[in-house]
Amino acid sequence: MIEFLKSLQILSDNELQKINAVIKTKFLKKNGFLIKEGAVCDEIAWIKTGILRSYYSNVEGKETTKCIAFENELTAAYSSFITQEPTFENIHALCDSELLVLKRTDLYALYAGSAEWQNVGRILTELHYIDLEKRTVSFQKQTGKERYEALAAEHSKYIKFIPLKHLSSFLGITPRHLSRLRNGS
């Protein structure tokens, strides 16, 4: 996380060190939850190791994967984190995961104490928006095969840890179609 924050080239060394006092390590076992539907999100997590999946369940209990977050990425139930209203999503670990967690109150204290941290918050929000827009555009302009190939190229070492049903839901294709793509058919 520190290396990522350094890469933004916004924080002075003094400001960068402030995060060490407030960041906590959290371990999730495979299938453990960062947050469950109905809870209020009060933390944001940097994935040090592991893979986290965000999903929704409809009234029949069918799950739809919204997001899969990998090592060196941030994740949270962002709408709930911002509004402090109960979330409608679940975030769980697809494998044993180590997270660096920052409480909302600590993040907002960093924002209040420094224009540099406010800029970090703005940049992270912009990056998150760009990722969401890329995902939306991928569903409008790419085939399922192209979405799978792009994900496999970017996260090849992690793909094997994602169950077929979750990966196919994330890609917007059937498990059967994904199986054919994996087999090169």
Side-chain angles (χ1 to χ4, degrees):
M1 176 184 243
I2 297 295
E3 290 305 313
F4 171 74
L5 291 171
K6 280 183 183 178
S7 76
L8 298 176
Q9 299 180 346
I10 296 171
L11 297 170
S12 65
D13 288 341
N14 184 46
E15 289 298 322
L16 192 58
Q17 293 308 312
K18 290 180 181 179
I19 199 159
N20 291 328
V22 293
I23 205 94
K24 305 288 185 236
T25 300
K26 180 183 257 188
F27 296 94
L28 290 179
K29 289 287 191 193
K30 181 179 179 178
N31 295 320
F33 283 84
L34 178 64
I35 193 164
K36 290 184 178 181
E37 181 178 3
V40 174
C41 183
D42 68 345
E43 60 190 15
I44 192 165
W46 175 265
I47 304 171
K48 189 171 179 182
T49 62
I51 307 168
L52 272 63
R53 169 182 170 249
S54 172
Y55 68 94
Y56 312 109
S57 297
N58 68 13
V59 291
E60 289 113 21
K62 182 180 180 225
E63 296 177 1
T64 300
T65 301
K66 171 190 159 208
C67 178
I68 298 174
F70 300 93
E71 289 179 8
N72 299 316
E73 293 181 355
L74 286 168
T75 193
Y78 291 107
S79 294
S80 177
F81 186 81
I82 294 165
T83 65
Q84 290 297 276
E85 295 176 0
T87 187
F88 42 85
E89 66 185 291
N90 301 282
I91 301 175
H92 78 110
L94 292 176
C95 56
D96 291 350
S97 301
E98 181 180 357
L99 313 174
L100 299 177
V101 175
L102 181 61
K103 291 289 186 184
R104 184 179 188 273
T105 52
D106 293 327
L107 178 61
Y108 279 63
L110 289 170
Y111 289 165
S114 162
E116 291 175 30
W117 276 104
Q118 290 173 20
N119 281 337
V120 167
R122 179 184 53 80
I123 296 293
L124 292 177
T125 301
E126 290 170 355
L127 291 173
H128 185 68
Y129 173 81
I130 290 166
D131 286 343
L132 286 173
E133 185 174 52
K134 284 179 181 177
R135 179 153 165 78
T136 300
V137 169
S138 77
F139 276 90
Q140 295 170 342
K141 296 186 73 124
Q142 294 180 317
T143 65
K145 179 181 180 181
E146 290 169 327
R147 287 192 299 278
Y148 173 73
E149 289 171 348
L151 184 67
E154 191 171 342
H155 299 291
S156 61
K157 76 177 191 177
Y158 305 111
I159 293 291
K160 63 183 175 237
F161 295 107
I162 304 170
L164 192 72
K165 65 181 181 178
H166 301 326
L167 189 56
S168 63
S169 174
F170 177 68
L171 294 169
I173 58 178
T174 66
R176 184 175 178 189
H177 184 64
L178 178 57
S179 184
R180 283 195 309 262
L181 291 176
R182 283 182 158 177
N183 292 328
S185 308

